[in-house]
Amino acid sequence: MSDEVQIDQEVYDRLIGEGKSERIARAKAKAASVRKAKIAEGQSLGPRSADEASKALEEFRANAGGGGVATKTEAPADAGGGGRLTPEQRAARVAASLGNGGDKQPASMGVPTSGEHTHRLLALVPPAGIQQVQSKQMDKVYTWPHLLLVEFVALLAAGSLLLIVSFFLDAPLGSLANPNDVPAINKAPWYFMGLQELLAYFHPMVAGITLPGVFAVMLMAAPYVDKNPSAKPENRKVAVLGFTFFCVFWGVLVIIGSFIRGAGYEWVWPWITGLGFTL
Amino acid sequence: MAKNDLKTTVQDNVIWKSIFRPGSIYRKGYRDTSRDRALASMNNVLYHLHPVKVKRHGLKLTYTYCLGGLSFFMFILLTITGIFLMFFYTPAAGAGTEIAYLNMRELSASVTFGQLVRNLHRWGAHAMVFLVFLHMARVFYHGAYKPPREFNWVVGVILLLLTLFLSFTGYLLPWDQLALWAVQVGTNIAGFSPVFGDQVQFVLLGGVEIGPNTLLRWYVLHVLFVPFITVVFLAVHFWRIRKDGGISGPL
Ligand code: HEM
């Protein structure tokens, strides 16, 4: 798949000697060897110097023709002040690129004056429109190959497990549906057994509508109610306890409903009457 | 032909290059460098889901336990096996036209891999409900719903409800005793919705009791409507994960 990149052993050894981590040393050593290979092929490295760049542009214009009305770029190196343009220089350049060579008012704001030019893109971005991203430098790794590899393995493992189960266990299929033949044991799928168990204690309106509604709203509201900014377990004992209680509560209801309810939804012990439960 | 010649012939032509964008690992000249690793992400359709780099701690199995990803994998698997099942299933019931149930019998008796695919679909559905629930628990215990991720938690709860509804609508389709009576428990409850109970129940059942209309209704809900809504919410969920700055943490 990939052409193997040699690492530059010399650089690697030096960095390891300097106490850099294995990972950093290897990355830098690879980069060094790529750089070497490029030099060997006669390419130049890094950004080109301003002179080179404008010469290339000139050549390109001469050969390819067309292009915008942009003017010859003055190499920033001449401009003094650490390679930056003075405000005057910048103003002059903007005016020039708008198609008037100098200090006249621009006659046509960026609209090409000759018929040769077909389009021009110009965008002004107000400072308020620029998103200020303040992210801390974090310890990050490349998605390819690291994350994708983990995902692939997880997918294979889960897929195989499911395939094995499906190979040995058949999904149930009862007799034809018959509205007149009420079965002795009548249960919802397991994920609704919590609800069905509640039905045994409360009026259906409360057990089936009010309580599940309240739970769903509570669940959705959780992030807005829990204003504690910490994510550390030791700082959020109440939240952890509350959620655990919620899960255990449902778990117990589901287990009772699934395994300890028999004919007529009566309380029975599974070791006496057998499991009245189908997936 | 030497291995490298073959590789060059395959990779160095117009068609290959038109399929694999620059930086693709399948393109000629891919090198295992930082630059090419970054390009491999940027020029891949998966760039819609994954950024170029992810936080190192998020890779640890014990951070996400892959639960969200596996929930999604189950969804994909259920879609694929579900499409297979659709080829062999007609949502028709009623005296003299018990086709749905007959189809289920034929599926296991005479369709190649029919029983196996049905099993995958059934156990996959149970697994998905369970995985989504575990995913929610892992998000909670990591406090991963805290700002700026509050809304994505809400989207998640909606996904949980949609997952349950998907499973439940599918449960009726075999049209056996098990399905009919399990669903009866649920739809009876719907009749107790405040004010509009009877209307809600009528809409869900396509009549006053579970019958052939209900089967057609739940079939359409199960294979088209609910999956469609779920995909919309999944898209928002995944988009928000990235906009909220990727995976939360480290703790
Ligand atoms: C169909 C169901 C769902 C799918 C396919 C899904 C998928 C995902 C995936 C792939 C992630 C990335 C991180 C990870 O794998 O843990 C994620 C993160 C997240 N999910 Fe879900 N999810 C689902 C349901 C839920 C539910 C039920 C909730 C909560 C009620 C939820 C809340 C969140 C939150 C808040 C995050 C961000 C977590 C973080 O940044 O650490 N999701 N989800």
Side-chain angles (χ1 to χ4, degrees):
Chain A
M1 210 152 49
S2 66
D3 297 348
E4 208 46 55
V5 172
Q6 301 301 327
I7 66 169
D8 189 325
Q9 198 61 40
E10 208 177 297
V11 174
Y12 182 82
D13 292 342
R14 181 168 51 78
L15 289 168
I16 290 288
E18 284 170 14
K20 291 276 189 304
S21 80
E22 205 281 317
R23 183 169 60 87
I24 302 229
R26 185 150 38 80
K28 293 208 161 161
K30 272 186 186 175
S33 100
V34 170
R35 238 179 281 126
K36 252 192 197 161
K38 278 192 176 168
I39 292 172
E41 283 171 24
Q43 298 179 27
S44 60
L45 296 175
R48 284 191 253 179
S49 75
D51 280 346
E52 259 186 289
S54 28
K55 210 161 75 210
L57 184 65
E58 212 84 296
E59 257 170 39
F60 174 76
R61 285 251 182 72
N63 297 332
V69 280
T71 48
K72 178 179 185 310
T73 317
E74 236 178 281
D78 313 341
R84 290 200 157 187
L85 295 175
T86 64
E88 291 76 32
Q89 282 171 311
R90 183 178 294 117
R93 198 187 284 184
V94 168
S97 71
L98 286 175
N100 331 257
D103 46 11
K104 281 174 283 165
Q105 268 301 102
S108 56
M109 284 291 289
V111 178
T113 39
S114 87
E116 276 173 54
H117 310 302
T118 49
H119 71 276
R120 161 181 282 266
L121 287 176
L122 195 69
L124 294 176
V125 181
I130 300 172
Q131 237 175 28
Q132 298 287 329
V133 181
Q134 291 180 338
S135 56
K136 272 178 282 170
Q137 181 85 36
M138 293 192 77
D139 189 11
K140 287 191 166 184
V141 293
Y142 283 101
T143 297
W144 167 260
H146 302 291
L147 177 59
L148 290 183
L149 206 73
V150 173
E151 285 179 341
F152 187 63
V153 171
L155 187 151
L156 280 186
S160 332
L161 194 69
L162 194 67
L163 195 65
I164 292 171
V165 171
S166 302
F167 193 80
F168 291 108
L169 268 185
D170 279 351
L173 185 64
S175 53
L176 175 67
N178 180 356
N180 301 317
D181 175 14
V182 188
I185 300 181
N186 182 12
K187 290 186 188 175
W190 63 269
Y191 39 80
F192 283 137
M193 277 320 294
L195 278 188
Q196 199 175 352
E197 184 60 22
L198 281 180
L199 276 175
Y201 308 112
F202 301 105
H203 183 268
M205 164 102 184
V206 176
I209 309 288
T210 317
L211 284 179
V214 168
F215 288 147
V217 170
M218 266 167 50
L219 213 51
M220 289 201 214
Y224 304 97
V225 175
D226 175 9
K227 296 228 181 270
N228 173 0
S230 172
K232 291 205 190 330
E234 58 269 28
N235 296 337
R236 43 197 295 263
K237 296 212 169 77
V238 177
V240 166
L241 215 69
F243 189 76
T244 308
F245 177 78
F246 182 74
C247 293
V248 171
F249 172 72
W250 274 113
V252 169
L253 286 186
V254 168
I255 289 171
I256 294 177
S258 300
F259 303 120
I260 316 188
R261 293 289 186 174
Y265 213 70
E266 293 297 324
W267 188 286
V268 295
W269 298 111
W271 52 88
I272 297 172
T273 51
L275 276 186
F277 175 69
T278 349
L279 268 175
Chain B
M1 205 164 16
K3 182 173 161 259
N4 271 342
D5 286 348
L6 181 65
K7 196 169 151 188
T8 310
T9 320
V10 172
Q11 292 189 328
D12 204 1
N13 66 64
V14 184
I15 297 173
W16 194 266
K17 284 188 197 160
S18 75
I19 298 173
F20 299 105
R21 290 179 44 80
S24 161
I25 55 171
Y26 301 113
R27 205 163 148 120
K28 190 174 147 219
Y30 176 82
R31 289 190 287 201
D32 194 17
T33 59
S34 295
R35 175 181 173 277
D36 281 8
R37 284 177 175 194
L39 282 175
S41 285
M42 277 188 265
N43 287 308
N44 192 296
V45 66
L46 286 179
Y47 198 33
H48 286 287
L49 291 180
H50 287 315
V52 169
K53 282 186 141 189
V54 290
K55 297 171 195 163
R56 181 181 292 274
H57 78 90
L59 277 188
K60 271 202 287 199
L61 193 63
T62 48
Y63 194 72
T64 66
Y65 294 97
C66 292
L67 288 167
L70 287 180
S71 307
F72 185 53
F73 174 54
M74 285 303 148
F75 183 75
I76 302 285
L77 207 79
L78 287 164
T79 308
I80 295 169
T81 51
I83 290 172
F84 176 92
L85 294 175
M86 281 177 76
F87 283 118
F88 306 100
Y89 180 86
T90 315
T97 53
E98 301 289 5
I99 304 178
Y101 182 72
L102 275 180
N103 285 164
M104 297 307 293
R105 284 252 169 258
E106 280 164 10
L107 188 72
S108 39
S110 51
V111 174
T112 313
F113 293 127
Q115 181 72 52
L116 181 67
V117 177
R118 178 168 175 236
N119 293 347
L120 281 171
H121 198 75
R122 180 74 154 222
W123 304 135
H126 285 307
M128 180 168 167
V129 173
F130 200 54
L131 285 167
V132 171
F133 174 76
L134 290 181
H135 169 59
M136 177 174 85
R138 125 44 214 157
V139 169
F140 190 93
Y141 287 121
H142 282 167
Y145 55 80
K146 305 204 167 187
R149 299 184 175 79
E150 310 100 305
F151 183 65
N152 216 15
W153 169 272
V154 177
V155 173
V157 175
I158 294 172
L159 279 171
L160 174 69
L161 299 179
L162 284 169
T163 307
L164 292 175
F165 196 52
L166 261 178
S167 283
F168 194 52
T169 48
Y171 214 83
L172 183 67
L173 302 187
W175 202 249
D176 59 350
Q177 276 292 77
L178 218 65
L180 178 72
W181 293 98
V183 166
Q184 191 98 46
V185 177
T187 53
N188 278 349
I189 292 177
F192 287 97
S193 310
V195 191
F196 298 110
D198 289 346
Q199 285 84 343
V200 169
Q201 204 181 21
F202 192 88
V203 169
L204 269 180
L205 297 185
V208 290
E209 55 177 27
I210 298 182
N213 283 339
T214 321
L215 184 59
L216 179 59
R217 211 159 267 222
W218 285 40
Y219 175 73
V220 175
L221 285 175
H222 183 71
V223 304
L224 215 62
F225 186 74
V226 191
F228 173 69
I229 304 286
T230 306
V231 166
V232 171
F233 278 93
L234 280 177
V236 177
H237 197 58
F238 295 157
W239 172 77
R240 270 307 286 250
I241 293 172
R242 288 194 59 179
K243 289 292 161 184
D244 293 340
I247 196 85
S248 62
L251 281 184

